[in-house]
């Protein structure tokens, strides 16, 4: 019973490993390592490693020439130069690295698309922080009210008074001119 539990835990632990983890922890060109490398069909480096697994005859990877050439071709198309050299040493033509360029073009197109989206939708400015300082308003000073005056009928007058002494043949008169709101009256008094 204990053996079944231990085997189940081991299977669960190994089954939960990711290909990246297996490539780092397994010895190179072991069956588990080769299987993990096969999980990356868009990498020239790992496709070349799978071709090497077939060429070395790792368990589960038959040494068939057409399979080895297939993986070398795919690795070369993804830009792996070692795969191109291996094909050339076999007397086979080296394919163009079209898959690598297509992937780079797709990345560039996506980067351009994201840049256009950002340009068309600029980020909103951050909201201004709220000030917590109290608002100070100047105090309104009321003029003093006159005493004993009915404020509802009070109207300020524009008044001016001027006095002039006028003497003719030793006869002097005092002329007083008073102007209230533009109306002027003059009074003459003898002295």
């Amino acid at each position: 019973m204990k053996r079944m539990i231990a085997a189940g835990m081991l299977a669960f632990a190994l089954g939960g490993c990711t290909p990246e983890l297996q490539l780092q922890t397994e010895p190179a060109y072991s069956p588990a390592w080769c299987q993990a490398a096969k999980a990356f069909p868009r990498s020239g480096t790992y496709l070349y490693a799978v071709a090497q697994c077939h060429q070395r005859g790792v368990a589960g990877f038959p040494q068939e020439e057409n399979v080895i050439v297939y993986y070398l071709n795919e690795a070369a198309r993804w830009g792996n130069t070692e795969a191109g050299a291996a094909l050339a040493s076999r007397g086979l033509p080296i394919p163009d690295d079209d898959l690598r360029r297509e992937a780079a073009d797709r990345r560039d197109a996506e980067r351009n698309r994201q840049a256009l989206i950002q340009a068309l939708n600029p980020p909103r400015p951050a909201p201004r922080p709220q000030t917590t300082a109290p608002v100070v308003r100047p105090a309104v000073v009321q003029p003093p009210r006159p005493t004993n005056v009915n404020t509802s009928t009070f109207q300020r007058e524009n008044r001016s008074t001027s006095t002039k002494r006028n003497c003719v043949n030793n006869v002097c008169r005092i002329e007083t001119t008073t102007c209230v709101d533009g109306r002027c009256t003059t009074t003459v008094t003898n002295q």
Side-chain angles (χ1 to χ4, degrees), residues 112-132:
N112 289 341
R113 189 179 76 78
Q114 292 298 326
L116 283 174
I117 289 171
Q118 289 289 20
L120 293 175
N121 298 325
R124 292 185 176 145
R128 289 183 150 179
Q130 296 292 328
T131 58
T132 57

Side-chain angles (χ1 to χ4, degrees), residues 15-174:
C17 290
T18 62
E20 294 92 357
L21 184 62
Q22 284 181 329
L23 286 170
Q24 293 175 1
T25 58
E26 297 290 328
Y29 299 108
S30 67
W33 187 89
C34 289
Q35 200 62 35
K38 199 173 185 179
F40 296 97
R42 294 177 184 228
S43 168
T45 304
Y46 291 126
L47 288 169
Y48 178 70
V50 172
Q52 291 296 310
C53 290
H54 280 283
Q55 191 169 347
R56 292 177 184 207
V58 175
F61 293 85
Q63 285 183 319
E64 295 180 12
E65 185 65 23
N66 60 348
V67 175
I68 296 170
V69 170
Y70 168 78
Y71 280 109
L72 289 175
N73 269 318
E74 289 299 302
R77 289 182 67 197
W78 280 102
N80 188 288
T81 56
E82 292 173 320
L87 286 170
S89 69
R90 293 173 186 264
L92 298 171
I94 301 170
D96 191 25
D97 61 344
D98 59 337
L99 297 176
R100 181 196 57 81
R101 283 184 288 127
E102 284 179 20
D105 289 344
R106 281 192 299 274
R107 280 192 307 272
D108 291 343
E110 179 61 22
R111 191 177 312 123
N112 289 341
R113 189 179 76 78
Q114 292 298 326
L116 283 174
I117 289 171
Q118 289 289 20
L120 293 175
N121 298 325
R124 292 185 176 145
R128 289 183 150 179
Q130 296 292 328
T131 58
T132 57
V135 178
V136 179
R137 293 191 176 119
V140 178
V141 178
Q142 296 289 334
R145 290 185 171 184
T147 57
N148 298 329
V149 175
N150 186 352
T151 56
S152 61
T153 59
F154 176 75
Q155 187 175 14
R156 190 169 207 145
E157 296 178 331
N158 190 7
R159 177 186 288 260
S160 65
T161 303
S162 64
T163 304
K164 179 168 98 173
R165 188 171 178 186
N166 193 5
C167 296
V168 179
N169 295 334
N170 282 338
V171 177
C172 292
R173 296 180 171 177
I174 298 176

Side-chain angles (χ1 to χ4, degrees), residues 162 174-179 183-189:
S162 64
I174 298 176
E175 295 178 1
T176 304
T177 305
T178 304
C179 295
R183 293 188 181 136
C184 297
T185 57
T186 304
T187 56
V188 179
T189 54

